[in-house]
């Protein structure tokens, strides 16, 4: 039975590695309570014991003199007063919300009720966190951390060893750093394609209907009550009757971003993660539409379906991102079936952007639902994870051709259904992918 436990642990570690997930809930064992011998005391005692043993083995009394030096040093290092009994450590983290690549400052205040010696911190960092700087003072420990990947991460723990005045004994106190919300860096995006039909709300997009906008779409005969400053004099002179400018109405748009989190494909060459690029592209898309005062919502597909109904305002960007950050900790995002999208998550007529690496056939179930609701839809493909072949690998070349043919077949099936498909490559601006959509407005499906 004892031999099965390490094998099970190894199998679990291998399975986590194959799944591409990290167990972020694992913490180091708790520190032992109370005071215990420090490294200095152990070294001095070891020297004294070795000298005494050598004297007994050799039978030479003068060897006992070698044990006198460490024993004298041990006696001189004994503290004159009592050791601290109440030792506490409180951690302060600023900020608790940041973007990828930004720095987080951790300040740990250590307090004790009597005289103590130096502090020796032991840092255990969480996944996706890097230690850049460490400073230790009499009553404080400061750390400068850099968060490298988006998600809701546990920063880790800091075990501070508090030594007595002589450095012979130590006591460990743990400071929990807690969690931090790391937002993905939004991809650069400024273009906001719109569908044919827009809701009847004032906005910044030009609609096909007539209204009180700023874009001139033609002229029409003057109607009593219209502003005389809008008279189009060339047309009036040519037709002999008063003609006034005709303007297009300005409306707002409803946009929903659907995130494919069914799988995380890592590119073997660049190390780019399809899940990372999906969220960065989604963040850029959400920010671009919120800048034009549109309403934007989000749905993450895979495992527990998470969604947030469309809203507006610059502050809504952080609410949208925070709603999908727990995807990093969703250990069951690979499921057999997918749930139906709730009606509030995808309002009627809303423009749906589906960001997917096109590696899982189950995403077609979601596309079929969106298409069945007659929503205009755009599929943004994240092309990552193409296998790398070794020279002379004929079987690998055949497999790569089949892999590419399968992706081409998925794109062809989407285009045949009238769905716009664009490609966003990691590192490029999102506007390069969205520019072809500006040639015409996006049409919806059929019920």
């Amino acid at each position: 039975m004892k031999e099965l436990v390490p094998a099970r642990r190894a199998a679990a570690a291998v399975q986590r590695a194959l799944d591409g997930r990290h167990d972020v809930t694992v913490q180091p064992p708790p520190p032992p309570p109370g005071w215990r011998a420090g490294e200095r005391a152990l070294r001095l005692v070891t020297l004294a014991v070795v000298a005494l043993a050598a004297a007994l083995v050799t039978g030479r009394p003068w060897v006992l003199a070698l044990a006198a030096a460490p024993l004298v040093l041990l006696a001189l290092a004994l503290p004159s007063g009592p050791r601290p009994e109440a030792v506490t450590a409180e951690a302060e983290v600023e900020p608790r919300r940041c973007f990828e690549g930004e720095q987080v400052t951790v300040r740990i205040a250590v307090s004790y009720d009597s005289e103590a010696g130096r502090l020796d911190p032991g840092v255990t960092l969480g996944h996706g966190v890097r230690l850049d700087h460490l400073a230790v003072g009499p009553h404080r420990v400061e750390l400068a951390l850099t968060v490298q990947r988006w998600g809701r991460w546990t920063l880790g723990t800091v075990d501070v060893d508090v030594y007595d005045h002589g450095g012979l004994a130590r006591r460990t106190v743990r400071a929990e750093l807690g969690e931090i919300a790391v937002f993905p860096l939004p991809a650069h995006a400024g273009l906001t394609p719109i569908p044919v039909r827009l809701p009847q709300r004032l906005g910044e997009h030009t609609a096909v209907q007539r209204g009180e906008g700023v874009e001139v779409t033609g002229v029409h005969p003057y109607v009593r009550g219209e502003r005389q400053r809008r008279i189009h004099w060339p047309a009036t002179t040519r037709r002999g009757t008063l003609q006034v400018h005709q303007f297009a109405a300005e409306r707002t748009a409803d946009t929903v971003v659907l995130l494919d989190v069914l799988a995380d494909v890592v590119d073997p060459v660049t190390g780019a993660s399809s899940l990372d690029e999906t969220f960065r592209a989604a963040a850029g898309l959400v920010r671009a539409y919120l800048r034009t005062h549109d309403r934007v919502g989000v749905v993450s597909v895979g495992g527990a379906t998470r969604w947030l109904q469309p809203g507006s305002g610059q502050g809504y960007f952080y609410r949208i991102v925070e709603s999908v950050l727990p995807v990093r900790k969703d250990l069951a995002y690979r499921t057999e079936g997918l749930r139906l999208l709730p009606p509030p998550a995808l309002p009627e007529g809303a423009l749906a952007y589906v960001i997917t690496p096109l590696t899982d056939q189950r995403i077609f179930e979601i596309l079929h639902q969106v298409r069945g609701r007659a929503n205009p839809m755009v599929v943004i493909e994240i092309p990552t994870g193409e296998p790398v072949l070794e020279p002379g690998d004929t079987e690998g070349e055949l497999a790569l051709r089949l892999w590419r043919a399968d992706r081409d077949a998925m794109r062809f099936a989407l285009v045949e259904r009238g769905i716009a498909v664009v490609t966003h490559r990691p590192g490029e601006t999102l506007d390069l992918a969205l520019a072809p959509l500006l040639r015409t407005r996006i049409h919806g499906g059929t019920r």
Side-chain angles (χ1 to χ4, degrees), residues 297-374:
V298 67
V299 180
S300 61
V301 179
T305 301
R306 308 175 187 275
W307 60 277
L308 189 64
Q309 63 183 6
S312 59
Q314 292 298 323
Y316 206 69
F317 170 80
Y318 299 98
R319 185 178 176 185
I320 289 176
V321 175
E322 285 189 340
S323 67
V324 294
L325 284 184
V327 170
R328 282 291 192 194
K329 289 192 174 183
D330 187 3
L331 301 184
Y333 62 82
R334 294 181 176 90
T335 55
E336 295 297 333
L338 298 176
R339 301 179 181 178
L340 295 177
L341 296 179
L346 191 63
E348 182 180 357
L351 174 58
Y353 283 96
V354 183
I355 307 179
T356 171
L358 286 182
T359 55
D360 198 317
Q361 295 282 349
R362 291 177 295 171
I363 193 61
F364 280 91
E365 300 180 23
I366 301 300
L367 299 178
H368 180 71
Q369 294 184 37
V370 178
R371 194 65 174 172
R373 298 184 186 184

Side-chain angles (χ1 to χ4, degrees), residues 23-42:
D23 192 356
V24 296
T25 60
V26 175
Q27 291 186 355
W35 290 88
R36 61 189 187 278
E39 295 85 353
R40 184 179 182 183
L42 293 176

